[in-house]
Amino acid sequence: MKAVVATDPAAEAAGITLAERPEPRPAINDVVVEVHASGFVPAEWEWPSTWVDRAGRDRAQAIIGHEFAGVVTSLGYGTTGLSLGQRVFGITDWHRDGTLAEYAAVEARNLAPLPGNVDFTVAASLPISGLTAWQGLFQHGRLRAGQSVLAHGAAGAVGSVVTQLAREFGAYVIGTGRAADRQAALDFGANEFLDLSTEDLDDIGGVDVVFDVIGADIQRRSARIIRPGGTLVSVVGPVEARPADGLAVDFVVESVPSQLVEIVDRVRDGRLRTHIGTVATLDDAIPALNPTERRKGKTVIHVRP
């Protein structure tokens, strides 16, 4: 089968290639999924699991990509809850071969059923962005109606979902980004927008939750404006700055099928829109995953027409 594999940690995206790999076989409690579309997160180059397994051994020619949508084609021994021919979507284990391939072996417990009226491209853009936003806001940020949220990167793949979910649950959302992102952030539901290159975070006054996808100096400045009892939620690694009277949480997204169902239901009824930027075929995936300029939104690879 065709698959996109990573070959060189130092080269990052420049070291990926389209290769032939054996089709996977399902282990106990696995399914094999015929992949129709796969999302991709550029930060995958920074994840240790891309390059080594849980025992610290090199993962030679690892297949990249970890979110996808497709159809179940094979069931492993003991697998329950899914059936042959079923449409599914979700996240694969970080330390296993991924989803930028014609087939992927996945633990059944990581998958959710995909309704027939949600297409594979949209579904493939949802798992990581959607679950990151959901878990960051509700599990770690403990968001409540009437609170305020500072959503960094509000026009991006994750930030746009953060903005929409926070607004739905009754929060006041201040989106941030570059000047060119202003209208997109407002269209996704931000109450107001702050251009980080020209406007001062301190002018906001105070917020209850900061959702940080940037880190570094932006994170340190954001920590200063969190109200007592508030939370800084980070997805960019260990938190370098903490609120004076609040919590700081750094987390790695987990696959929770019940949350995926909540998310896809919102897509079905129009409460949630995904931000898909680049769409390419598997044959054209290498340049799409190794862009020469900044791209907005989620990159999705069509594995099958």
Side-chain angles (χ1 to χ4, degrees):
M1 69 172 183
K2 293 180 182 178
V4 179
V5 299
T7 63
D8 183 357
E12 298 184 341
I16 61 175
T17 186
L18 188 64
E20 285 291 327
R21 293 288 300 275
E23 290 186 17
R25 295 182 178 180
I28 295 173
N29 297 322
D30 271 1
V31 299
V32 170
V33 176
E34 179 186 72
V35 179
H36 283 242
S38 173
F40 183 73
V41 179
E44 189 169 334
W45 315 120
E46 303 166 13
W47 303 344
S49 57
T50 299
W51 308 108
V52 296
D53 65 16
R54 285 191 171 84
R57 297 175 297 231
D58 287 344
R59 295 184 63 208
Q61 301 284 306
I63 299 173
I64 59 174
H66 287 283
E67 58 186 335
F68 73 110
V71 175
V72 175
T73 60
S74 182
L75 303 175
Y77 178 80
T79 299
T80 60
L82 296 173
S83 58
L84 294 175
Q86 184 174 1
R87 290 163 49 97
V88 293
F89 74 122
I91 301 176
T92 62
D93 185 277
W94 309 121
H95 288 86
R96 296 179 64 171
D97 274 340
T99 58
L100 281 165
E102 293 180 294
Y103 295 90
V106 190
E107 291 177 274
R109 64 188 178 94
N110 286 336
L111 299 175
L114 177 63
N117 58 352
V118 177
D119 71 47
F120 291 115
T121 302
V122 170
S125 74
L126 285 173
I128 291 179
S129 297
L131 290 173
T132 298
W134 188 280
Q135 292 166 16
L137 285 173
F138 306 129
Q139 290 179 219
H140 305 295
R142 303 167 299 159
L143 182 68
R144 302 189 303 276
Q147 291 187 319
S148 56
V149 175
L150 180 65
H152 286 309
V158 173
S160 60
V161 182
V162 170
T163 298
Q164 293 173 84
L165 290 178
R167 279 297 304 272
E168 179 190 345
F169 282 82
Y172 184 89
V173 181
I174 303 166
T176 78
R178 305 183 185 192
D181 299 326
R182 182 182 300 272
Q183 192 56 54
L186 296 174
D187 290 345
F188 280 117
N191 297 93
E192 57 181 285
F193 181 84
L194 188 92
D195 178 358
L196 290 174
S197 62
T198 62
E199 299 175 275
D200 193 343
L201 277 170
D202 291 331
D203 292 341
I204 293 173
V207 296
D208 298 295
V209 178
V210 169
F211 202 115
D212 179 34
V213 297
I214 301 174
D217 183 58
I218 295 298
Q219 184 182 96
R220 290 188 287 272
R221 289 158 55 195
S222 300
R224 297 200 301 262
I225 64 171
I226 295 175
R227 294 181 179 130
T231 307
L232 169 64
V233 177
S234 169
V235 295
V236 292
V239 177
E240 298 178 4
R242 296 179 178 273
D245 185 13
L247 295 175
V249 179
D250 167 58
F251 77 101
V252 176
V253 65
E254 297 179 299
S255 182
V256 182
S258 61
Q259 294 173 359
L260 286 172
V261 171
E262 292 274 9
I263 292 163
V264 80
D265 281 348
R266 285 167 167 77
V267 172
R268 293 174 71 191
D269 62 24
R271 283 177 290 168
L272 182 66
R273 292 185 293 123
T274 61
H275 187 183
I276 298 173
T278 300
V279 178
T281 66
L282 188 61
D283 286 336
D284 295 325
I286 303 307
L289 300 175
N290 193 13
T292 57
E293 58 186 19
R294 178 178 179 254
R295 291 181 175 174
K296 299 178 181 179
K298 174 74 70 173
T299 295
V300 177
I301 302 300
H302 281 165
V303 179
R304 283 176 175 77

